[in-house]
Amino acid sequence: SQQGEEDPQALSIQEGENATMNCSYKTSINNLQWYRQNSGRGLVHLILIRSNEREKHSGRLRVTLDTSKKSSSLLITASRAADTASYFCATSGGYNKLIFGAGTRLAVHP
Amino acid sequence: GAVVSQHPSRVICKSGTSVKIECRSLDFQATTMFWYRQFPKQSLMLMATSNEGSKATYEQGVEKDKFLINHASLTLSTLTVTSAHPEDSSFYICSVNVGQTYEQYFGPGTRLTVT
């Protein structure tokens, strides 16, 4: 079953702008991960944030986690056309099983 | 990380036939692999956890007799869709865990179309 919701479902921006995607989940977690999927392809791991962390950076990516609100956000700064993809959050509560959110489809226009 | 391949990348079959999809971990010995299904513009739904040398663990609502999983070696898991129907048309993706991390590495997916 899906863990929760992501918003927005779709986001369209211009190159150079920042993109923010949000994810909510329902149960206790060990960690939360963000993945990227180009159309018709498999998923690529972007970043993992543990339940005891509040913020994490990786290049142009910034992830926050608020366990009290059961929510996370992914910020992509200075977006590029190549960032066009679907982005999914996924939570892990045990046994290494991942439960994915609904995803945000990001379109970055040159 | 791990490099994961899937074969075939696309398959079209007739209703009532069976289709086998392979998932290979090319550079890592995976005791556990995961199978997901993804419908167009939707998220990934975990179907089952494939365990090397033992029976797969299926998620609630997934028919084990319809989706046969075999994990006979540390580098290969297969998913067989038996007596396929058009509603089984979907994108099937496998993944592996590496070591003690929670990250998963995904195959490129298999697009199944049942006519």
Side-chain angles (χ1 to χ4, degrees):
Chain A
S1 60
Q2 286 184 218
Q3 175 66 284
E5 299 296 320
E6 286 184 61
D7 79 273
Q9 290 186 352
L11 181 61
S12 181
I13 60 174
Q14 297 295 126
E15 260 189 328
E17 294 179 342
N18 296 340
T20 299
M21 289 159 267
N22 303 296
C23 163
S24 63
Y25 57 91
K26 297 176 182 175
T27 61
S28 297
I29 60 171
N30 291 330
N31 62 77
L32 185 142
Q33 304 177 46
W34 285 89
Y35 288 83
R36 166 198 167 118
Q37 183 182 33
N38 285 72
S39 181
R41 301 288 186 90
L43 276 71
V44 175
H45 181 267
L46 295 177
I47 195 166
L48 178 152
I49 186 165
R50 299 186 188 280
S51 59
N52 61 355
E53 297 176 308
R54 292 296 168 258
E55 187 170 311
K56 201 161 183 180
H57 297 252
S58 177
R60 293 185 296 113
L61 306 180
R62 183 173 78 101
V63 168
T64 62
L65 178 64
D66 187 334
T67 52
S68 66
K69 295 181 179 178
K70 290 186 167 57
S71 67
S72 174
S73 67
L74 170 67
L75 168 67
I76 303 175
T77 60
S79 64
R80 306 166 182 167
D83 294 329
T84 295
S86 291
Y87 292 82
F88 296 92
C89 68
T91 53
S92 175
Y95 304 105
N96 293 341
K97 287 170 55 172
L98 289 182
I99 306 299
F100 283 86
T104 294
R105 295 190 305 280
L106 173 66
V108 182
H109 303 283
Chain B
V3 180
V4 182
S5 71
Q6 282 184 240
H7 178 80
S9 58
R10 291 177 178 270
V11 58
I12 300 173
C13 71
K14 292 189 176 179
S15 188
T17 62
S18 295
V19 174
K20 180 185 286 187
I21 302 170
E22 295 184 348
C23 176
R24 292 183 185 274
S25 177
L26 300 182
D27 57 355
F28 177 74
Q29 293 188 322
T31 55
T32 303
M33 293 184 178
F34 302 92
W35 285 98
Y36 296 86
R37 179 167 54 183
Q38 184 180 33
F39 292 107
K41 296 189 178 180
Q42 293 189 22
S43 187
L44 280 74
M45 300 294 289
L46 179 65
M47 297 175 68
T49 302
S50 172
N51 305 299
E52 188 268 334
S54 65
K55 292 182 179 179
T57 305
Y58 290 81
E59 294 299 302
Q60 193 172 10
V62 178
E63 300 174 57
K64 62 178 69 174
D65 293 329
K66 181 168 183 62
F67 298 99
L68 301 179
I69 292 174
N70 184 282
H71 193 153
S73 78
L74 289 171
T75 59
L76 174 64
S77 175
T78 60
L79 168 68
T80 300
V81 183
T82 63
S83 186
H85 291 284
E87 56 264 32
D88 298 323
S89 298
S90 188
F91 194 54
Y92 292 87
I93 313 175
C94 68
S95 70
V96 304
N97 265 125
V98 175
Q100 299 300 311
T101 71
Y102 289 99
E103 302 167 19
Q104 290 188 14
Y105 294 86
F106 287 80
T110 296
R111 174 80 57 195
L112 170 64
T113 303
V114 185
T115 61

